Amino acid sequence: MKTIFILTSGGDAPGMNAAVRAVAKVAAAAGVRTVGVLDGYDGLMDGKWKDLTQPGESGLAVIPELDSAGSLGGTLIGSARSARFRTVEGRREAIARLHDAAGLIVVGGDGSLTGAHLLSKECELPILGIPASIDNDIGCTATAIGVDTALNTIVESCDRICDTAISHRRAFVVEVMGRHSGYLAMASAIAAGADAVLFREQAGSEEDIVSTVSKAIRAAFDSEVGKRRVLILKAEGVDIPCTRLVRRVEETLSPVLPGVEIRATVLGHLVRGGRPSFQDRMVAARLGRAAVAALLRGERDQMVGWQKATQSGLPTEDPSVYRYPLAQVLAETKALLDGTSPVTKWRVKMMSEMSGVLGL
Ligand code: F6P
């Protein structure tokens, strides 16, 4: 029987399970078995997997576990960041394990899609990528699985923090994930009504950062303005620990705002967990469906991306899903992260324009 292998790799993202469920269901409907590889590329090299489909009343059906897993965060088939798979020997082991497969679907971010591209170059198998990363740092896709849920979690956390901040007339620096991309900080700053946002792509010095935060707090707590809270969103990639930033801002402000109270909260991995939002489930399901269809047609070395409207991609049966060569995806991802992409330039420009507006 034809078999599709699927793995989730890199940082987990809410909605990965919904993608796995969709792939297994769409494949089952086409009479194709789906095997879930355990713990990403490590499980592929070690031959560790489980059947996600089983014989049903009329043909194939998915295993019952998938029904509830689709609405859960994390990934039920496990994930890993595999150093071994980065070696040619590791990938050779993986290719040997896939000798009977009709194809492989890789759900993950930059590193995972790089692995999929390398594997595609080293074997003939149809390999399709599905973008999943809360950081929204993958090229050729307007969003990735997990982004929407992560943003909702951040915004809700900020609302809660603001409840206590307003009660005590305090300023908070809230750090969110995004080692290489400030997207989560930028987008959530607008939605949470933050007074300022700090992200790596701004490339300011520590002095600039301390000055930005100090100015935002001073302006808000000015007796004329009389705000009761200050919210500063900081991306993880901004190279100053929250505690140090708070201490330095307190030192700067103590002569002009004696007794000012500033607190820091690092949301960290809290942002990566939780039940996927409607949007993440819906995007995951539709990307999953398109990936199976492309794979069964024999397409290879591509990623399915979510786009509202584009003239550039190769169409699929879904008007919001396009296919892109993995080489193009990885080049655009690199440009997103090194700041040369028009998307990153636009984000930075927009946030710079917003810097005079956020604190009002
Ligand atoms: O998933 C991407 C990401 O969330 C980054 O924003 C973050 O820096 C990193 O993962 C953390 O990875 P780990 O869970 O391996 O510490």
Side-chain angles (χ1 to χ4, degrees), residues 32 41 67 131 245 308 337 348:
V32 175
Y41 288 116
D67 283 332
L245 175 59
K308 279 278 155 55
L337 298 177
V348 173

Side-chain angles (χ1 to χ4, degrees), residues 11-12 81 133-135 177-179 236 269 272:
D12 58 287
R81 301 190 197 274
S133 160
I134 63 165
D135 295 344
M177 271 194 170
R179 195 163 27 206
E236 177 191 357
H269 287 79
R272 229 162 62 185

Side-chain angles (χ1 to χ4, degrees), residues 11-24:
D12 58 287
M16 277 182 160
N17 286 326
V20 172
R21 177 174 65 182
V23 164

